[in-house]
Amino acid sequence: MESHTERILITGALGQIGTELTNRLVEIHGADNVVASGLDRWQKGITAAGHYERMDVTNTQLVRQIVKDYEITTVYHLASLLSGTSEKQPVFAWKLNLEPLLHFCEMAKEGLIQKIFWPSSIAVFGKGIPKEHVGQDVVLNPTTVYGISKMAGEKWCEYYFDKHGVDVRSIRYPGLISWKTPAGGGTTDYAVEIFYEAIEEGKYTSFISENTGMPMLYMDDAIDATLQLMDAPKENLTVHSSYNLGGMSFTPKQLAEEIRKEIPEFEIDYKPDFRQAIADSWPASIDDSVAKKDWGLNYKFGISEMTGDMIKNLKAKLGKA
Ligand code: AKB
């Protein structure tokens, strides 16, 4: 590796966030300073990063060796099981969503790494909390496996910061919408699937009911926010569990109306499945004023800009332009 102040390891680098975050980190730091990792075998073009390691994040020995071999300074630890999949594999979800985070925090405590990014989620809030403009400091009451694991992870981040000064930073991502890499296993995934089906079939059956509002964020804004938080001076940060991030809020019905502006023949119907109960336990909108104040969070995409960009890029990707 070239000598450079930051050497980055990304876990879950082939996932929905990982693919795009890796591209941006390569643009900023150079391919040679970025190590992507995932469960897939290496193949040409698998990642923009200069290095790829096939790595199971629960294999602590291997992870530690890779951190040492590449002299990693910063870890973006994205590997996680999302809300829908976690309900089907609770024990594994706990193991995957928690243990590697703890291991990275331990390595930071030992001085092996300097900085960690770890994603939390709007899933931490749960039942009995007001639906709208949910604030940074409300009592968390998650009722899903995923939400419980994210809440515990947040507490561990705070603990390692308070007790050992570990620089671990986190965002409570809302549903993420993107066209480059599909989402997998989440409750908010309907807001990605709907675009594929609108372009390919002209219709979509939503597994979330028409008037269920959830907070969502376009991937470009999610990547910008992540990098902004990681670049923020440590002394400006007042939240060491995880920062609220609201993005935009809409229901499946409102999104369908927006898509119809571009694809007038688009039809939608609704067959809620087990993920409806998960969505019902989540907030519809989030107050992210603390992130705005502490590190300058801002957004470029609202629902119409996002819809236009998704349709344009997906049409080109799917050969329907
Ligand atoms: C999911 O739906 O599980 C995720 C999330 C909101 O964390 N997209």
Side-chain angles (χ1 to χ4, degrees), residues 16 81-84 120-123 146 150 173-176 183 185-189 214-215 278 282:
Q16 191 195 9
L81 221 57
L82 296 185
S83 55
S120 185
S121 160
I122 53 156
Y146 177 66
K150 290 293 181 186
Y173 286 129
L176 296 179
T187 301
T188 56
D189 290 10
M214 281 188 275
I278 300 179
W282 289 358

Side-chain angles (χ1 to χ4, degrees), residues 91-127:
V91 177
F92 178 62
W94 179 259
K95 185 177 171 61
L96 179 69
N97 292 355
L98 255 298
E99 288 177 13
L101 169 65
L102 249 63
H103 186 222
F104 282 123
C105 286
E106 275 294 307
M107 284 191 277
K109 178 182 144 190
E110 290 166 32
L112 263 182
I113 48 185
Q114 265 79 63
K115 218 192 240 186
I116 302 165
F117 176 81
W118 176 75
S120 185
S121 160
I122 53 156
V124 291
F125 295 111
K127 285 218 159 115

Side-chain angles (χ1 to χ4, degrees), residues 2-22:
E2 285 168 14
S3 112
H4 183 92
T5 44
E6 258 194 283
R7 293 184 198 85
I8 295 162
L9 172 66
I10 305 158
T11 74
L14 308 178
Q16 191 195 9
I17 308 172
T19 315
E20 302 204 28
L21 186 60
T22 302

